[in-house]
Amino acid sequence: MACAKGEKMNPYKILNIDYHADKRKIIVAVALAMREKNFSVQEVAIAQKEIMNPMTKAAHDFLQFIDVKPMQNQFAPIKQQQKKIVFDLNRLSNFDENS
Amino acid sequence: MKKKNKSFESILARAEKLFDRGNYLLAEKEFEKAGKIEKQNNITEKLKICKKETENLKVKDLIKRARKYTKKKQLRNALECFEEAYTISKEDSIYERIEALNRILSDSDIEKAAGNAEAAGQYAKAAELYEKAFAGSKQDAHLLKRALCLVKAERYEEAVSVFKDLNLFDSCSLYNYGFALARVGQYYKCLKVWDDIAEKDNDFLEQKELVSSILADDVFDRFNSTGDFASLYKEGKYLLDSTGRQDLAELVEYCKYDWIKKLWTDEQYETIWELVFDFPATVEPALIALYAKTCFKLAQKSKTYTQSHTHLSNLSMFWLTAVYNCELSGKFSSEAKERENIRQKLIQMAESLIKKEVDSEDEIARLALTYWNIDNKLIKYIHALAGDREDTAHLVCTPRFADLFGKSAQILRLIKENKTFFENTERYLMTGCYYSTAGQSMYHLEARQYEKAFNTLPEVIDGDEFATYGMLKVKFFYGLYCLESGERQLKRCFDTVSALFDISSDYEKKLIEKAFECYELDELNRYEEALNIIYTKRPSRGIKEALSLLMSKRAIARYNVRLINNKTLNIILQKALALNPKNEHARVSLYDTKVDCELIALEKALSKHKMNKACKIVVESKSEKVRSCFFEFMEDTVKALYEMDMENEKKIFFLQDTYKWCARVDNSHSILHDINGMLRFLE
């Protein structure tokens, strides 16, 4: 089981990778993260551990990413239904009298 | 008459007098006269002073006049006065006033010129003049006039840039600003500005409709060319809400989800929640996941108490539904065992989140944990029941989720069809109850919010076994709560309880246990009332025994605070014994009461010297206490009689009587021997 700290963090954000990243990419990302020092060494190490463990990775994959395509598919394709209206707007003087 | 020649001295004296009085004007004239007669240095000096003072007075007078002119807005006259005063005094302060007046007069001229240009239809020129006027005055009114002229001059972009920094309230300004916005292609902003116009003039409404249509076209165009989904969503939603254009509905929804994708990356979970909070009738698994994850992130991230807890209480409803969802959990892993492990890991993550808040002794978090525990238990049953079947897998969800998305009826049907799946009737009814119309009430009950549970019971149950079970259970526990708190709702709570006892006798046992535990009179009163209500409907052995005991306990409690007398106590105890002959409490109490009654009657008889009655009470009593009381009294009497200063004959007479009474009660009592001894001695 991962520690609470691991659960709260987003390892993908720390390592700046997406969930398709393979082992080699993860290791490169860890090295980069260590060099950039945006996160502590401990945070980077936990992130790596979380991503390398299939079970915690699956949990993070579920928690950290969303998929909106299935919802969008309900509405696509969208077509323009109306004709374009000619822009012909004249200033009304009605309000001048009121002012 | 010949004019009298004034002497030099008299002229000088008069001049000096006037000078001393401060009348420098006349003094100057007199000094001049005197100077012509005879030149003297001091006269020249005084003349200088007089001239100086006269000038000062003139300046003062001019300033006074100038002020009066200013007040009357006759600025040009005021300026002339100030200028004259300055020619005399050369004072800086007067010069500053002249400058200020000149500026004002110049502005006024510009404003007049601007007005004239506007009236003549030279709007561009008017706009420039108003800008100049603003440069001098720094008044927003000049800017507003400039902006309006710019609109009339069809210089819309410039107009918009002037309008945008102004506070606009009147219809004219709002209309023209909106118009300029529309003409520069900012249709959404135009409509938003026009929304603040109260007037509903037909021409205006038509124009607004036209701009709405143009905006709709623009939204469609931009959807195909740009990726600013946030703006497209906002503008499309605005049109959808304000005009009801259904052709935009799909575009709006599509853009919403694209925007959500962006918001998720930016960790803007609050905005996502606002966007998805309007729950649709049917729900995609991906949307369930979105609800669940957003709730989780918000519960994790929210800083404020209220925000965090709103999401905590929603978390179990969405999170458990999501992790048990067949399609979503299918993506965890292809291996069933691993899938289950990941599910449990996700469940544990959310549970830890809630428990962490509970640890901080937070009442709402505790409530969220209660809800979580209920949902976690129920969804396991439903998952075990329907999770592996393709036709029913979509029904695996928490009760509140089912209610929100209209799945409750299907789940209840599923539960009914699989009654044998449940280990006992109560488990079956309880599971169904949470998905029934009494579900919300059950959540409150589990959270020990008894009043809320009772008040949220469905008004119509219509023979539904699950809701009926919920109603019975809620009424029972609310009844227990009333018994403890003293609420007067006992009849409403306990008149249906026998049906619940038929489902599970545990409830009956629970009530009886609680009844046995109470001692306070108020509590005893309530429990006896409740048991009486139940007894009339369900005279079971347990209820009978509990009621019998309660009756005797309550009677004693009332007797102890003198609410009832011996006689009433006796009657009640006999009734309690009749109800349950094995009621030892009643039996013992009844015996004690009887003895007390006999003692009272004995004392009464003895005090009134009704010895026959006293003897009868003692003979009939089975109590040693009564007997002892009688003989103690007799022994005291005999002793007192023997020692009394009285004639022996009388003593013998009384002792013989006493002997007779004692013998009637017990002819072998030792007192008889003592009395005999006394009699022998006296005789």
Side-chain angles (χ1 to χ4, degrees):
Chain A
M1 290 289 168
C3 65
K5 202 173 177 182
E7 283 161 9
K8 202 172 178 183
M9 62 152 57
N10 182 350
Y12 291 103
K13 207 151 230 176
I14 291 172
L15 300 179
N16 195 22
I17 50 172
D18 68 16
Y19 67 98
H20 296 298
D22 57 18
K23 204 173 171 181
R24 195 184 62 81
K25 275 187 185 166
I26 294 168
I27 289 163
V28 172
V30 169
L32 265 172
M34 294 275 195
R35 202 160 50 205
E36 280 171 7
K37 291 181 180 172
N38 290 328
F39 297 93
S40 69
V41 175
Q42 194 194 9
E43 281 173 320
V44 175
I46 294 170
Q48 183 188 8
K49 197 178 160 193
E50 294 276 310
I51 296 282
M52 297 295 242
N53 178 333
M55 197 168 83
T56 50
K57 181 184 185 306
H60 278 295
D61 287 353
F62 177 76
L63 178 62
Q64 311 297 359
F65 299 96
I66 59 164
D67 180 16
V68 296
K69 271 275 168 285
M71 276 83 83
Q72 284 183 317
N73 287 343
Q74 294 176 64
F75 309 111
I78 297 163
K79 283 179 185 167
Q80 193 169 328
Q81 302 284 316
Q82 290 217 336
K83 278 186 180 176
K84 203 169 171 74
I85 293 167
V86 179
F87 187 57
D88 187 18
L89 201 64
N90 294 314
R91 203 183 76 85
L92 296 172
S93 56
N94 311 21
F95 293 101
D96 293 350
E97 289 157 11
N98 294 342
S99 64
Chain B
M1 206 173 105
K2 198 180 172 186
K3 202 174 175 184
K4 194 180 168 185
N5 281 329
K6 283 185 181 171
S7 65
F8 170 75
E9 284 77 18
S10 66
I11 292 169
L12 192 62
R14 180 173 155 71
E16 290 287 354
K17 199 177 175 183
L18 287 165
F19 185 87
D20 290 342
R21 283 183 184 169
N23 193 341
Y24 300 107
L25 195 69
L26 286 179
E28 187 187 342
K29 282 177 185 170
E30 293 301 313
F31 277 126
E32 274 173 353
K33 276 183 200 170
K36 278 175 188 171
I37 298 167
E38 192 180 322
K39 287 205 172 187
Q40 281 184 10
N41 280 343
N42 67 331
I43 292 176
T44 316
E45 282 298 310
K46 289 274 170 75
L47 260 172
K48 274 184 188 173
I49 294 168
C50 282
K51 273 183 183 168
K52 179 85 181 158
E53 289 298 329
T54 312
E55 277 174 3
N56 282 347
L57 283 174
K58 201 175 177 186
V59 168
K60 275 183 186 170
D61 181 53
L62 283 166
I63 291 172
K64 203 174 172 183
R65 277 162 60 198
R67 281 183 181 152
K68 276 186 182 170
Y69 282 130
T70 313
K71 270 189 183 172
K72 289 178 187 171
K73 308 237 173 200
Q74 294 173 349
L75 300 182
R76 291 208 179 278
N77 292 341
L79 180 68
E80 278 169 18
C81 289
F82 277 127
E83 280 172 343
E84 202 181 332
Y86 181 70
T87 323
I88 299 165
S89 71
K90 302 287 176 197
E91 274 181 38
D92 287 348
S93 62
I94 297 175
Y95 182 76
E96 280 167 18
R97 289 197 177 194
I98 291 167
E99 286 285 288
L101 267 177
N102 271 327
R103 270 198 306 275
I104 294 166
L105 283 168
S106 163
D107 289 348
S108 170
D109 289 344
I110 295 168
E111 195 175 348
K112 208 176 268 177
N116 290 339
E118 195 182 346
Q122 297 170 324
Y123 298 117
K125 188 182 171 189
E128 275 166 33
L129 287 168
Y130 279 127
E131 192 181 16
K132 276 186 190 168
F134 173 74
S137 70
K138 302 292 174 203
Q139 287 176 13
D140 279 356
H142 286 137
L143 275 186
L144 186 60
K145 283 184 175 175
R146 171 174 153 72
L148 292 170
C149 283
L150 285 169
V151 175
K152 289 175 185 168
E154 300 183 3
R155 284 158 61 179
Y156 301 116
E157 280 190 16
E158 284 174 75
V160 167
S161 69
V162 179
F163 271 127
K164 72 177 169 50
D165 298 323
L166 294 172
N167 289 323
L168 306 176
F169 301 105
D170 64 295
S171 303
C172 174
S173 311
L174 289 167
Y175 171 75
N176 282 287
Y177 181 31
F179 183 82
L181 284 165
R183 292 304 294 257
V184 296
Q186 297 187 33
Y187 313 117
Y188 176 62
K189 271 191 185 171
C190 157
L191 291 168
K192 295 289 266 184
V193 169
W194 280 357
D195 280 345
D196 290 337
I197 298 175
E199 282 97 324
K200 300 293 172 209
D201 176 86
N202 277 342
D203 292 339
F204 171 62
L205 291 177
E206 271 175 30
Q207 206 161 70
K208 213 173 160 187
E209 204 178 312
L210 179 66
V211 176
S212 294
S213 299
I214 297 166
L215 174 62
D217 287 340
D218 185 55
V219 167
F220 276 117
D221 285 346
R222 277 154 56 213
F223 176 75
N224 294 321
S225 58
T226 67
D228 184 8
F229 293 104
S231 299
L232 287 172
Y233 170 76
K234 281 179 199 163
E235 293 174 25
K237 184 84 171 61
Y238 168 82
L239 283 173
L240 199 61
D241 294 342
S242 61
T243 66
R245 287 185 58 140
Q246 285 309 307
D247 56 333
L248 281 161
E250 296 212 336
L251 178 140
V252 168
E253 282 300 299
Y254 190 94
C255 292
K256 180 173 89 177
Y257 287 110
D258 243 308
W259 186 27
I260 284 173
K261 200 160 72 178
K262 171 86 172 52
L263 289 167
W264 184 267
T265 314
D266 298 342
E267 299 183 7
Q268 297 293 313
Y269 306 117
E270 291 87 355
T271 316
I272 295 176
W273 188 250
E274 280 165 25
L275 288 171
V276 296
F277 190 74
D278 190 13
F279 304 114
T282 53
V283 62
E284 280 284 314
L287 190 55
I288 302 173
L290 179 63
Y291 288 136
K293 293 173 201 184
T294 311
C295 268
F296 189 97
K297 290 282 186 184
L298 282 169
Q300 201 176 43
K301 191 186 166 199
S302 297
K303 294 277 180 283
T304 64
Y305 176 85
T306 332
Q307 275 181 335
S308 161
H309 291 93
T310 309
H311 302 302
L312 267 189
S313 68
N314 282 330
L315 184 61
S316 63
M317 161 166 71
F318 291 116
W319 190 260
L320 290 165
T321 304
V323 298
Y324 274 99
N325 181 275
C326 179
E327 193 179 316
L328 295 172
S329 60
K331 289 175 189 164
F332 295 164
S333 169
S334 52
E335 292 286 321
K337 197 180 168 193
E338 202 178 321
R339 197 160 55 235
E340 187 53 35
N341 285 340
I342 293 165
R343 179 183 290 136
Q344 290 312 316
K345 163 78 187 160
L346 287 166
I347 290 172
Q348 176 248 322
M349 277 166 70
E351 197 170 308
S352 305
L353 190 63
I354 299 171
K355 280 184 174 166
K356 196 182 77 189
E357 296 298 319
V358 175
D359 290 343
S360 56
E361 295 190 354
D362 193 317
E363 197 47 48
I364 298 175
R366 204 166 288 138
L367 190 72
L369 183 62
T370 307
Y371 280 30
W372 170 271
N373 290 334
I374 297 167
D375 289 343
N376 200 11
K377 192 165 67 180
L378 293 170
I379 204 164
K380 272 181 194 159
Y381 291 139
I382 304 298
H383 182 247
L385 198 61
D388 294 333
R389 282 163 51 187
E390 206 173 302
D391 59 330
T392 55
H394 70 284
L395 295 176
V396 180
C397 64
T398 57
R400 286 180 296 152
F401 183 92
D403 183 43
L404 202 57
F405 294 99
K407 287 173 182 273
S408 304
Q410 286 170 277
I411 296 170
L412 287 173
R413 210 160 33 243
L414 178 81
I415 294 169
K416 273 184 187 171
E417 285 165 5
N418 295 280
K419 191 174 177 178
T420 50
F421 166 84
F422 297 93
E423 60 192 67
N424 56 42
T425 309
E426 194 178 10
R427 182 60 52 81
Y428 159 76
L429 289 172
M430 191 166 6
T431 308
C433 180
Y434 277 102
Y435 290 91
S436 75
T437 50
Q440 188 53 56
S441 194
M442 287 293 281
Y443 275 103
H444 292 314
L445 180 66
E446 197 64 31
R448 293 163 188 256
Q449 297 172 324
Y450 299 109
E451 274 189 85
K452 235 178 176 179
F454 187 71
N455 293 332
T456 50
L457 276 174
E459 281 177 20
V460 183
I461 285 176
D462 206 18
D464 174 31
E465 60 179 327
F466 301 119
T468 304
Y469 167 78
M471 182 266 290
L472 293 174
K473 196 167 169 180
V474 166
K475 278 189 170 184
F476 173 74
F477 281 99
Y478 181 58
L480 288 185
Y481 166 75
C482 289
L483 283 172
E484 276 165 31
S485 63
E487 297 272 336
R488 308 297 303 167
Q489 294 266 19
L490 299 178
K491 177 95 176 111
R492 284 179 71 191
C493 297
F494 289 110
D495 63 347
T496 54
V497 90
S498 56
L500 183 70
F501 295 172
D502 290 339
I503 294 166
S504 169
S505 58
D506 289 349
Y507 299 105
E508 188 177 1
K509 282 178 197 157
K510 191 177 177 75
L511 176 68
I512 290 167
E513 269 172 29
K514 283 197 170 278
F516 284 163
E517 282 165 12
C518 64
Y519 293 97
E520 295 292 326
L521 182 57
D522 286 345
E523 219 180 353
L524 289 165
N525 287 341
R526 294 193 291 270
Y527 269 92
E528 190 181 323
E529 187 187 340
L531 286 172
N532 263 319
I533 294 165
I534 299 166
Y535 181 71
T536 53
K537 306 237 169 181
R538 185 186 162 90
S540 71
R541 193 177 143 199
I543 294 295
K544 210 187 275 185
E545 285 173 4
L547 180 58
S548 171
L549 181 64
L550 255 275
M551 280 169 74
S552 54
K553 277 167 85 173
R554 180 171 165 252
I556 297 294
R558 290 170 74 199
Y559 174 77
N560 288 342
V561 290
R562 296 173 190 275
L563 284 173
I564 54 170
N565 58 21
N566 258 320
K567 219 171 182 178
T568 317
L569 174 66
N570 218 5
I571 295 165
I572 297 170
L573 289 173
Q574 279 172 13
K575 276 186 184 172
L577 258 181
L579 201 61
N580 177 25
K582 290 179 183 171
N583 182 351
E584 280 306 309
H585 182 267
R587 188 183 301 285
V588 172
S589 302
L590 188 62
Y591 176 75
D592 289 346
T593 314
K594 206 176 161 193
V595 170
D596 284 349
C597 285
E598 285 167 357
L599 283 171
I600 290 165
L602 178 67
E603 274 168 19
K604 207 172 163 186
L606 289 172
S607 67
K608 288 182 180 175
H609 273 280
K610 292 183 175 177
M611 297 312 290
N612 281 328
K613 192 177 180 183
C615 290
K616 194 182 172 208
I617 290 166
V618 181
V619 168
E620 285 174 2
S621 172
K622 288 167 187 167
S623 167
E624 187 55 40
K625 208 171 169 184
V626 176
R627 223 175 104 86
S628 302
C629 179
F630 175 79
F631 282 110
E632 270 168 28
F633 176 83
M634 286 307 186
E635 276 165 10
D636 291 345
T637 309
V638 166
K639 198 177 171 190
L641 196 68
Y642 186 70
E643 287 169 1
M644 208 181 274
D645 186 19
M646 193 192 278
E647 288 173 18
N648 282 351
E649 286 78 15
K650 280 184 181 174
K651 280 185 183 177
I652 292 166
F653 174 76
F654 283 124
L655 282 170
Q656 280 172 343
D657 263 1
T658 308
Y659 184 91
K660 197 167 62 189
W661 293 324
C662 292
R664 195 192 296 177
V665 175
D666 183 357
N667 56 11
S668 61
H669 198 274
S670 58
I671 194 170
L672 297 176
H673 178 75
D674 295 344
I675 296 171
N676 269 335
M678 286 177 196
L679 283 169
R680 271 200 300 276
F681 182 77
L682 288 170
E683 279 164 358

